[in-house]
Amino acid sequence: MRHERTVSSRPLPPFGRHRSWNRKLSWIATHAIGIALGVIFLLPMLFVLLTALMKSDQAMTSSLWPTEWHFDNFIKVFKDAPLLEYFGNSLLYSGLATVGALLSAIPAAYALSKLRWRGQNVCFMLTVAAMMLPPQVTIVPLYDLWVRLGFTGTLVPLVVPYFFFDAFSIFLLRQFFLTIPKDYIEAAKIDGCTEFGAMVKVLVPMAKPGIAATAMFCFLFTWNDYFGPLLYTGENRDHWPLSLAIAQFRGMHHVEWNLTMAATALIMAPVIVLFVFAQKSFVKGITFTGVKG
Amino acid sequence: MTATLPARASGSPAASAGVRRGNRRAKHRRTVLLFLAPAVLGFGIFFGYPLIATVYYSLTKYDLINPPEFIGFDNYVRMFTSEQLVGTAAYNTLWLVIVLTVCRVVFSLGIASVISRLKSGVGLVRTLCYLPSLAPPAAATLAFVFLFNPEFGPVNRFLKFVGIDGGLWFNDPAMSKPALTLLALWGSGELMIIILAALLDVPQEQHEAAQIDGAGPIRRFWHVTLPSISPVLLFGVVNSIIYALQFFTQAVVAAAAAAGSADVAGNTKYIGAPQNSTLTYPVWLYVQGFRYFNMGYAAAMAVLLFVVSAGFTWILVRQLRKGQHQEET
């Protein structure tokens, strides 16, 4: 293919007519694959939404497109289950945990990225280890602790730890703080700021996108969490968050797939809305969690 | 560095400078401690203490009500010899660790390299592939149980259209883990984005140099792309292994939903359905500890899980430290 254009012994960068055809073909091929991939990833969500709008007996057939559009399924879901209450619990859990994680992780991440002290590396590695280890590893003594304190059946065991230590938030914030030049903090300190003042007045405003991204990841993680709520609030329906309630929902409506899918769509919705508004910081945060430092 | 210290001189000024320096150092130490206080406290209470206490509990018989009774290594002996289901659970988790990790990394790498080659619409395709990874696992699992419903699910309908007999998926012990793997792949957008970022960082000059030397696309991928993204791939492998080791929500919800009930919180009837094929190690740990209240036995399982995941975490931490040294030099 290429030899007709090879005048010298070294093949030239390909610009021949054939090559340009090949290029166009490969352009079309990659873009077709790209579009196909996007569609395949989207399809499950689309099916969920379409099924959520069907009549219950149609959801049990293999039809893909609703013959009648039942937007009231979403309202029915709210009527059938105390979904608003579960929603409130989820919001409480995720909201408080996010606030707590930021309050405790910002100073820790500041100390890990902007101060110099002995044992810094060891502490960072411990944070990474805490982030990576499965939660099941520590769960027996923790559960025992919360039982003794009398807080099982509530959201307290889920929320309180975030006010002290959340390894992932510390890790992610540190990655963001490292990208901010130390000079700004030094300058503030020369101007008479204390270390704390420099953090609050200089670093935090500059790291706003990073803090926002960390907050979103924390919110998302707790919103999606199933293991924690199952463990601690499992016995007490009044404190269930949505993630736990949704799994139960299928049990109450074992034939009504349309309602189950409506509930599924409802619990996915806040996450998707959050993502649409903050796509960039999500993507940036995710790339930061890779090893690139 | 911090502000320059006063020049060294002999005599009393040096002594006072030394005191001042000492004061400053003490003050600095106090500041660091103050910044770290909540995290250190939290790490100790919610991570350090339970990690050590797990080892103690693993040597006891404990049901939460009666005080722990020391029984030595009985839990471990039982785990490795007489108990049947822990073996099943370990096998299922091992299956996921191997299959899921390989599929997840290869799949993410494949998709990322397609996206990295797009000239336009990168943002849109990236968004569409990433979005599913944000869906709550419990909800995503319900959606997949519906999609893979043997009778009326869209997947089997499509397969029938193409002329293939779709399986029973979540209702078939042989198909349930592959179905869970597909669910995990659908949600592997995070890893895909990390790999994509690494791919876009591969120096273009190296590619061009290799091309001039006559290397085809496959050789360029093998000799240029792969070596330069290998740290990220290692991260992906370790991350996927840990993900597979703690596989819980999807297994529990899929089993219950496919069996027709989702009374997950109340009983253990559907856990592991069909035929214990979705009984993963963390699920069995949960059942032993928090349904049967064999806390000691669950702790012994946790110790084993810790040993295995700590090994993989160590690999990642070492890699991370290497990266840091490179950054500093």
Side-chain angles (χ1 to χ4, degrees), chain A residues 41 51 60 62 116 121 125 132 137 141 143-144 164 174 199 220 224 226 247-248 250 275 279 287 289 291-292, chain B residues 28 35 38-39 50 54 57 62 127 131 134 136 146 152 157 186 197 201 235 242 257 262-264 317 320 324:
Chain A
F41 270 94
T51 310
M60 295 287 288
S62 46
R116 262 176 187 280
N121 263 331
M125 294 305 161
M132 294 294 291
V137 164
Y143 187 81
D144 185 63
F164 292 92
R174 176 187 171 271
M199 179 182 87
L220 190 74
N224 289 351
Y226 177 86
Q248 203 74 357
R250 162 93 176 111
F275 174 72
Q279 215 201 110
T287 40
T289 55
V291 213
K292 302 201 312 163
Chain B
H28 180 74
F35 276 70
T54 297
Y57 281 118
Y62 184 39
T127 303
L131 203 55
L134 301 171
F146 171 72
F152 52 82
R157 190 190 136 109
W186 183 62
D201 265 1
F235 169 83
I242 302 270
D263 194 11
V264 171
V317 165
L320 225 83
Q324 241 176 8

Side-chain angles (χ1 to χ4, degrees), chain A residues 10-11 14 27 30-31 33-35 37-38 40-42 44-45 47-48 51 59-64 104 107-108 110-111 115-117 121 124-126 128-130 132-148 160-161 163-165 170-171 174 186 195-196 199 217 220 223-224 226-227 230-231 234-235 240 243 246-248 250-251 254 257 260-261 264 267-268 271-272 275 279 282-283 286-287 289-293, chain B residues 1-2 28 31-32 35-36 38-39 41-43 45-47 49-51 53-54 57 62 64 107 111 114 117-120 123 125-132 134-140 142-147 149 151-152 154 157 185-186 190 193-194 197 201 211-212 231-232 235 238-239 242 245-246 248-249 252-253 257 260-265 282 285-286 290-291 295 298-299 302 305-306 309-310 313 316-317 319-321 324 327:
Chain A
R10 197 165 31 150
W27 189 94
T30 33
H31 282 74
I33 296 172
I35 293 166
L37 278 176
I40 288 170
F41 270 94
L42 197 64
M45 291 204 195
F47 283 134
V48 167
T51 310
M60 295 287 288
T61 65
S62 46
S63 53
L64 302 177
S104 65
Y110 181 86
L115 299 175
R116 262 176 187 280
W117 41 283
N121 263 331
F124 175 60
M125 294 305 161
L126 284 176
V128 175
M132 294 294 291
L133 283 178
Q136 287 87 3
V137 164
T138 52
I139 209 65
V140 169
L142 274 181
Y143 187 81
D144 185 63
L145 184 79
W146 289 114
V147 167
R148 275 190 226 183
V160 167
F163 279 85
F164 292 92
F165 179 73
I170 296 176
F171 174 81
R174 176 187 171 271
E186 294 301 332
E195 206 73 68
F196 186 77
M199 179 182 87
F217 278 110
L220 190 74
W223 187 268
N224 289 351
Y226 177 86
F227 181 65
L230 174 66
L231 198 67
E235 306 292 328
W240 275 7
S243 56
I246 184 85
Q248 203 74 357
R250 162 93 176 111
H254 47 274
W257 272 108
T260 307
M261 288 302 110
T264 304
I267 176 179
M268 286 184 182
V271 172
I272 291 168
F275 174 72
Q279 215 201 110
F282 264 109
V283 171
I286 275 296
T287 40
T289 55
V291 213
K292 302 201 312 163
Chain B
M1 274 303 288
T2 43
H28 180 74
T31 319
V32 170
F35 276 70
L36 284 178
L41 211 65
F43 182 89
I45 299 172
F46 302 116
F47 195 75
Y49 153 73
L51 210 55
T54 297
Y57 281 118
Y62 184 39
L64 272 183
F107 183 73
I111 289 182
V114 169
R117 238 157 264 185
L118 292 178
K119 300 283 184 308
S120 49
V125 176
R126 192 184 58 187
T127 303
L128 292 180
C129 296
Y130 176 54
L131 203 55
L134 301 171
L142 277 182
F144 262 62
V145 171
F146 171 72
L147 291 173
N149 186 292
E151 291 160 56
F152 52 82
R157 190 190 136 109
L185 290 185
W186 183 62
E190 286 188 9
I193 287 209
I194 292 171
D201 265 1
Q211 194 168 12
I212 289 170
V232 171
F235 169 83
V238 174
N239 180 276
I242 302 270
L245 280 175
Q246 49 181 275
F248 181 87
T249 308
V252 167
V253 176
S261 163
D263 194 11
V264 171
L285 191 159
Y286 167 79
F290 304 97
R291 293 287 146 234
M295 302 298 262
L305 183 64
F306 169 73
S309 14
T313 306
L316 189 76
V317 165
Q319 181 69 29
L320 225 83
R321 193 185 282 158
Q324 241 176 8
E327 213 172 281

Side-chain angles (χ1 to χ4, degrees), chain B residues 270-325:
Chain B
Y270 299 107
I271 277 183
Q275 290 168 39
N276 293 322
S277 65
T278 60
L279 188 79
T280 66
Y281 192 82
V283 171
W284 191 234
L285 191 159
Y286 167 79
V287 173
Q288 280 288 350
F290 304 97
R291 293 287 146 234
Y292 300 163
F293 296 106
N294 295 326
M295 302 298 262
Y297 187 75
M301 286 186 74
V303 170
L304 185 65
L305 183 64
F306 169 73
V307 171
V308 175
S309 14
F312 290 110
T313 306
W314 184 72
I315 295 173
L316 189 76
V317 165
R318 208 181 48 175
Q319 181 69 29
L320 225 83
R321 193 185 282 158
K322 218 195 289 170
Q324 241 176 8
H325 285 315

Side-chain angles (χ1 to χ4, degrees), chain A residues 43-267:
Chain A
L43 272 179
M45 291 204 195
L46 207 65
F47 283 134
V48 167
L49 202 63
L50 287 174
T51 310
L53 295 168
M54 287 177 187
K55 241 173 94 169
S56 73
D57 40 352
Q58 201 203 345
M60 295 287 288
T61 65
S62 46
S63 53
L64 302 177
W65 199 256
T67 42
E68 295 170 50
W69 298 77
H70 283 271
F71 288 95
D72 56 320
N73 281 347
F74 288 106
I75 299 161
K76 226 189 233 161
V77 168
F78 277 99
K79 271 192 200 144
D80 282 10
L83 220 56
L84 271 180
E85 218 171 283
Y86 297 141
F87 188 87
N89 289 335
S90 270
L91 216 56
L92 201 66
Y93 172 23
S94 302
L96 285 176
T98 304
V99 171
L102 288 185
L103 285 179
S104 65
I106 288 174
Y110 181 86
L112 281 173
S113 61
K114 294 282 172 265
L115 299 175
R116 262 176 187 280
W117 41 283
R118 243 193 311 159
Q120 195 166 21
N121 263 331
V122 176
C123 280
F124 175 60
M125 294 305 161
L126 284 176
T127 310
V128 175
M131 184 175 81
M132 294 294 291
L133 283 178
Q136 287 87 3
V137 164
T138 52
I139 209 65
V140 169
L142 274 181
Y143 187 81
D144 185 63
L145 184 79
W146 289 114
V147 167
R148 275 190 226 183
L149 293 172
F151 282 117
T152 44
T154 71
L155 291 172
V156 172
L158 297 171
V159 169
V160 167
Y162 282 94
F163 279 85
F164 292 92
F165 179 73
D166 180 37
F168 183 73
S169 297
I170 296 176
F171 174 81
L172 196 56
L173 281 173
R174 176 187 171 271
Q175 305 297 89
F176 275 109
F177 288 174
L178 282 176
T179 62
I180 291 169
K182 223 171 169 177
D183 308 0
Y184 292 98
I185 290 156
E186 294 301 332
K189 276 196 279 187
I190 288 166
D191 286 348
C193 257
T194 59
E195 206 73 68
F196 186 77
M199 179 182 87
V200 173
K201 284 186 208 139
V202 180
L203 187 81
V204 167
M206 288 184 79
K208 253 185 201 157
I211 293 171
T214 309
M216 282 182 311
F217 278 110
C218 191
F219 192 89
L220 190 74
F221 179 80
T222 44
W223 187 268
N224 289 351
D225 185 19
Y226 177 86
F227 181 65
L230 174 66
L231 198 67
Y232 290 116
T233 70
E235 306 292 328
N236 191 348
R237 242 161 227 269
D238 294 345
H239 291 282
W240 275 7
L242 269 177
S243 56
L244 202 52
I246 184 85
Q248 203 74 357
F249 196 83
R250 162 93 176 111
M252 303 185 296
H253 299 266
H254 47 274
V255 285
E256 291 173 291
W257 272 108
N258 56 336
L259 293 189
T260 307
M261 288 302 110
T264 304
L266 279 174
I267 176 179

